[in-house]
Amino acid sequence: MKLYVRIVGVALLAVAMVVLAGCGEKDKFAKAQTEVMQLAKQADALDITSAMKNARDKDGAKQDLEAVANVKKQHQQIMDQIQTKFNEMEGYAKSEPTLGPTLENLKTEIEQQDKSWNQGMNETEYITGLALKEYKAPDPDPWTAHSKW
């Protein structure tokens, strides 16, 4: 009889452990989702205009290009952190199927934000690169260029 009570007790304990192990997935998912949203706000808040000098010479244009590269690097680091959180959230979504659509919507939203941010940065980088090319090739003096007699 004691053996039977022990077996039942161990079985109930095992079932309780399995049930409790699955609990809290939604809470963990919600916490990770909040962290992703905060990281996304940080990534969107990265702005190049404060770092740029809007330089009028060659050295200033080089500094502006370096500033763009630094901001892009910071943005990529934040996006890597977001991807790590997405991987964590996928584990929660596998154990709780109702979280899957929420995760997909969040991924799509973050992807669109990242795409638009990168597009803006690429435009800024292109314009700054044009300014640097302009400084590399100064216009020749039209009077001396044509009067070679």
Side-chain angles (χ1 to χ4, degrees):
M1 187 68 161
K2 284 186 178 183
L3 182 61
Y4 177 72
V5 172
R6 283 186 183 178
I7 291 173
V8 170
V10 169
L12 287 175
L13 183 61
V15 169
M17 289 175 53
V18 169
V19 169
L20 290 177
C23 292
E25 298 297 323
K26 286 184 180 181
D27 295 335
K28 292 175 187 176
F29 184 88
K31 183 179 176 185
Q33 184 178 6
T34 303
E35 290 173 6
V36 165
M37 294 305 289
Q38 289 173 350
L39 287 170
K41 284 181 184 177
Q42 286 178 4
D44 262 354
L46 289 176
D47 189 18
I48 190 63
T49 55
S50 61
M52 292 181 72
K53 308 287 187 219
N54 293 328
R56 302 283 183 214
D57 61 351
K58 183 178 172 181
D59 292 334
K62 283 183 182 179
Q63 290 174 354
D64 286 351
L65 279 177
E66 289 173 5
V68 168
N70 288 338
V71 169
K72 283 178 112 176
K73 182 190 271 186
Q74 291 173 353
H75 181 77
Q76 187 57 44
Q77 289 173 346
I78 293 173
M79 293 310 293
D80 290 343
Q81 291 176 355
I82 289 174
Q83 187 59 44
T84 302
K85 285 292 176 189
F86 279 154
N87 293 340
E88 178 184 329
M89 291 168 74
E90 282 177 2
Y92 302 143
K94 285 179 183 176
S95 64
E96 185 70 39
T98 59
L99 300 175
T102 305
L103 178 60
E104 291 304 317
N105 290 340
L106 183 61
K107 279 185 177 182
T108 304
E109 180 183 339
I110 298 296
E111 209 172 85
Q112 289 173 352
Q113 286 178 358
D114 183 44
K115 192 175 186 179
S116 67
W117 190 91
N118 279 322
Q119 184 178 4
M121 277 293 110
N122 289 340
E123 289 174 5
T124 303
E125 189 174 32
Y126 177 74
I127 291 169
T128 306
L130 286 178
L132 183 62
K133 287 180 184 177
E134 179 183 315
Y135 295 128
K136 284 185 178 178
D139 293 333
D141 184 12
W143 299 106
T144 58
H146 296 294
S147 61
K148 294 186 178 181
W149 304 337

